[in-house]
Amino acid sequence: MAKIFYPDFFNDVFGPIMQPGSSGGFAGPTRIGNVASHLIDEKINRVTFSFQKSDIGKFQSLGNFMTDRGYLGGTLGFATDDPRLFDAHKLAREEGLSYEFRLEDHDYGYERGVKINVEGKDRRGELIGASVGGGMIRIYEAGGYYLNWQADTYGVLIKDATDSERAEFSELLKKNYGESVVDIRTVSVKNERVGLFAEIDRDISEDKSIFEDKQEDVLFLPAVLPVVTKKTKKAQLFSTVEEWRNYAAYKNISFLQAAIDYEKSSSGWTEEEIWDYFRKIRDIFDKQIHSLEDRNYDAEDTPTLPIYGKKWKEYLDKGNVISDGLTRHILTHAYATNAKIPGVIIVPGPMGTGGGYLYSALDAVREDRGYSREKELEALVIAAALGALAYTHTNASGDRGCIGESGVCNAMAAGAIAYMVTPENPIVEVGVAVERAASMALQASMGLVCDPIPGGLEFPCITRTLRAAVTAPMYAEMAIIGIDPLIPYHECLQAMERHYNLVPHKLLCGSDCGTCTTPAALKCKRFLTDLMAENLAG
């Protein structure tokens, strides 16, 4: 049976648990670095991070989302939630690790592929991987072998294996690990050297002895996602909100329970485990949105990100505020989210701080209107399901433009609020209200580009993410009073994907589009380049 893959609540939507920053630009590179740290079974003395020629923009703006520290810190073995990531350059030098970031004069043939070479005293290793958005990664090659692996399982690569050895080790793995073996396939190096790659749902690196004389040719690679894919993973329960509603009706269960069933089928986790993980996520969100208040707004600005929340607090204290109470409440939470204080861990949803912006709106509505914490937790589950559907129909990341980030965040928040506030006897049934709110939010974001200005103090990202948070209640109210946006949520997502395929990618995301093309933005880019110069090699 072929390996089943579709978006999961905790891998794709609310994940990874990480230090503040971009999930694609910080957590993804950290995870790739984590995999690279396992390429050799001895101390790494030197590491080189090589960017392909076509990704010159990403190379020049390495520090914009702390991408450099992600790759380097991951190679040092730091997980995505480790505060030592921020000091990766200093700690690498203290460890005696020699490193270099460089730009190649050619491409590798993989979109966004970055090559990592590690060297120890006696051994060397190489991989090509890509951060594909939302903290998700793809390891295209390891040791030269084409794997195309997502690190959602534990990988075992047996290099230079003959036909008989591949057959022997396939049977050996199945005999020893049975249902834990998710997939086994033949892999090759440019159709010359041939090997065997197994994906397993648990770590077997301590059992290296079973490979007998081939031990030196076996490479164990780690799973880096919170939900490890299992052989028992079931087919996706639904891929549209209509199918979601129909599944609930067919099973005679609530709209909420249908969402829980989706995650049970995907992860194999029990309901208790799923609810516990949602509570864990909510507690992280709580600390994030109150992080400035808890520090009495005593947080330090950085050269690339001022703490705008301090300006907001000064403005509020003067008492002459334009915005209404709920908007002020959402913004107070959202500015704390934007502060990205080192040590205050976050959960993306879908972008790096998207979960915090979503929760800023959800929790403000809960507090202002008196809804229970349990109802809020249920609404987070609804948001997760909307996010999973987004990843089903498109890549909910800046790669598709800012609609893939702040737009999807806005849709998830609007749908979650619509669920939380839909009355007992609604004008619109709860599942319909959720879909309509999400659709309206996404329609309002159609066509937005992803153009974070290198060194641009979080602009224009902050304007769009704050808009996403404060407008979510509006779309929820439009839905619950019966306004029909005409277009189903999944069709909006599909339109977003078609737009991506029609427009040159560099015009949707990166330093060649939108506000990044202005003279002022080019000055910011030069500032960041100068700031980064000392960190390219160490």
Side-chain angles (χ1 to χ4, degrees):
M1 180 174 148
K3 179 182 173 184
I4 297 175
F5 176 78
Y6 55 84
D8 175 275
F9 290 1
F10 305 132
N11 283 349
D12 302 88
V13 184
F14 288 136
I17 295 173
M18 59 179 286
Q19 287 296 318
S22 163
S23 51
F26 191 25
T30 300
R31 285 174 161 174
I32 295 171
N34 289 158
V35 176
S37 71
H38 288 74
L39 290 172
I40 58 177
D41 57 2
E42 61 183 41
K43 181 182 177 182
I44 298 173
N45 296 324
R46 177 172 175 78
V47 58
T48 304
F49 306 95
S50 303
F51 289 72
Q52 53 191 358
K53 182 180 180 180
S54 61
D55 286 330
I56 183 172
K58 294 184 182 299
F59 176 73
Q60 291 174 334
S61 59
L62 266 174
N64 205 33
F65 291 119
M66 298 180 288
T67 302
D68 55 317
R69 281 171 275 187
Y71 282 120
L72 186 57
T75 307
L76 287 167
F78 305 156
T80 56
D81 62 350
D82 194 323
R84 291 178 295 175
L85 286 168
F86 295 102
D87 296 316
H89 291 282
K90 178 174 74 74
L91 294 172
R93 290 162 183 159
E94 289 176 357
E95 287 285 320
L97 175 64
S98 174
Y99 64 88
E100 179 186 4
F101 293 86
R102 70 185 186 192
L103 183 69
E104 297 281 18
D105 60 3
H106 61 279
D107 284 356
Y108 308 131
Y110 304 117
E111 188 174 6
R112 297 187 295 275
V114 175
K115 183 183 292 185
I116 303 180
N117 292 89
V118 297
E119 300 177 29
K121 181 180 178 182
D122 300 310
R123 309 196 72 176
R124 297 183 177 186
E126 177 185 291
L127 67 73
I128 299 176
S131 175
V132 296
M136 300 293 282
I137 66 171
R138 190 166 294 277
I139 304 299
Y140 291 111
E141 293 184 10
Y145 290 86
Y146 180 70
L147 306 184
N148 197 26
W149 168 65
Q150 300 174 125
D152 60 325
T153 52
Y154 293 89
V156 181
L157 174 62
I158 305 170
K159 297 179 278 188
D160 295 325
T162 63
D163 290 350
S164 61
E165 286 175 330
R166 294 199 305 277
E168 176 189 349
F169 287 123
S170 291
E171 290 304 312
L172 187 64
L173 287 165
K174 292 174 184 176
K175 178 182 176 182
N176 281 271
Y177 305 109
E179 286 299 306
S180 289
V181 180
V182 179
D183 186 43
I184 301 178
R185 58 185 180 271
T186 296
V187 292
S188 64
V189 179
K190 295 182 175 58
N191 297 318
E192 296 173 2
R193 296 163 52 209
V194 179
L196 188 73
F197 186 65
E199 296 191 49
I200 301 175
D201 68 15
R202 59 191 176 96
D203 185 3
I204 67 165
S205 58
E206 296 301 316
D207 300 341
K208 193 171 183 178
S209 59
I210 70 168
F211 297 101
E212 299 177 341
D213 296 338
K214 292 286 292 184
Q215 288 187 37
E216 292 301 309
D217 293 318
V218 178
L219 183 62
F220 295 96
L221 300 173
V224 297
L225 303 184
V227 178
V228 175
T229 297
K230 298 179 180 179
K231 192 173 185 176
T232 53
K233 183 171 183 172
K234 298 177 181 177
Q236 188 173 15
L237 285 187
F238 49 81
S239 61
T240 70
V241 181
E242 182 182 15
E243 290 176 0
W244 179 0
R245 294 195 301 266
N246 290 341
Y247 173 82
Y250 173 73
K251 290 288 187 178
N252 195 26
I253 57 177
S254 69
F255 190 64
L256 171 70
Q257 184 60 48
I260 292 294
D261 281 4
Y262 178 104
E263 182 59 24
K264 285 172 64 179
S265 293
S266 174
S267 65
W269 290 10
T270 65
E271 286 197 28
E272 183 180 6
E273 289 173 320
I274 293 168
W275 282 112
D276 283 347
Y277 204 85
F278 270 113
R279 291 186 184 94
K280 179 178 181 179
I281 288 170
R282 182 187 60 187
D283 290 346
I284 292 171
F285 285 150
D286 265 332
K287 290 182 174 64
Q288 184 184 7
I289 67 171
H290 294 107
S291 57
L292 286 178
E293 299 167 65
D294 292 344
R295 289 162 175 74
N296 198 27
Y297 290 84
D298 183 18
E300 186 178 350
D301 293 342
T302 69
T304 55
L305 180 60
I307 307 296
Y308 297 116
K310 290 191 288 188
K311 295 181 181 295
W312 175 246
K313 179 63 165 58
E314 292 170 3
Y315 174 65
L316 289 179
D317 288 346
K318 292 176 181 177
N320 189 23
V321 182
I322 300 171
S323 53
D324 64 274
L326 178 59
T327 299
R328 290 198 298 272
H329 198 157
I330 294 172
L331 286 173
T332 297
H333 289 341
Y335 279 122
T337 296
N338 177 258
K340 298 180 175 64
I341 301 171
V344 178
I345 57 176
I346 68 169
V347 183
M351 56 188 164
T353 41
Y357 288 113
L358 183 161
Y359 190 75
S360 294
L362 192 60
D363 197 60
V365 171
R366 178 195 67 80
E367 289 185 322
D368 278 26
R369 301 298 183 260
Y371 294 102
S372 69
R373 293 279 282 169
E374 193 59 31
K375 193 69 173 179
E376 178 183 66
L377 192 67
E378 293 176 1
L380 274 181
V381 177
I382 300 301
L386 288 169
L389 297 186
Y391 280 104
T392 297
H393 295 282
T394 186
N395 179 17
S397 72
D399 189 60
R400 264 57 176 172
C402 200
I403 184 177
E405 294 196 332
S406 69
V408 172
C409 173
N410 195 188
M412 290 166 60
I417 293 170
Y419 170 84
M420 187 166 66
V421 306
T422 299
E424 291 279 332
N425 297 299
I427 298 170
V428 181
E429 185 266 325
V430 62
V432 174
V434 166
E435 176 161 34
R436 288 180 175 180
S439 175
M440 282 187 274
L442 206 57
Q443 288 181 43
S445 302
M446 197 65 69
L448 284 179
V449 297
C450 178
D451 52 348
I453 301 169
L457 309 183
E458 199 75 4
F459 279 92
C461 307
I462 186 173
T463 61
R464 295 173 187 156
T465 47
L466 291 179
R467 176 196 63 86
V470 299
T471 59
M474 177 187 74
Y475 296 122
E477 284 193 317
M478 290 175 70
I480 64 176
I481 67 172
I483 295 177
D484 185 350
L486 305 179
I487 306 171
Y489 178 57
H490 69 277
E491 289 188 14
C492 290
L493 293 164
Q494 290 166 354
M496 172 178 150
E497 187 68 10
R498 280 193 292 272
H499 185 247
Y500 168 77
N501 289 316
L502 288 171
V503 178
H505 298 176
K506 70 176 184 177
L507 299 181
L508 281 178
C509 180
S511 57
D512 294 321
C513 68
T515 58
C516 285
T517 62
T518 63
L522 296 177
K523 290 181 182 178
C524 293
K525 187 175 181 179
R526 285 194 292 271
F527 158 75
L528 181 68
T529 301
D530 292 342
L531 196 66
M532 275 296 302
E534 64 182 69
N535 288 330
L536 291 178

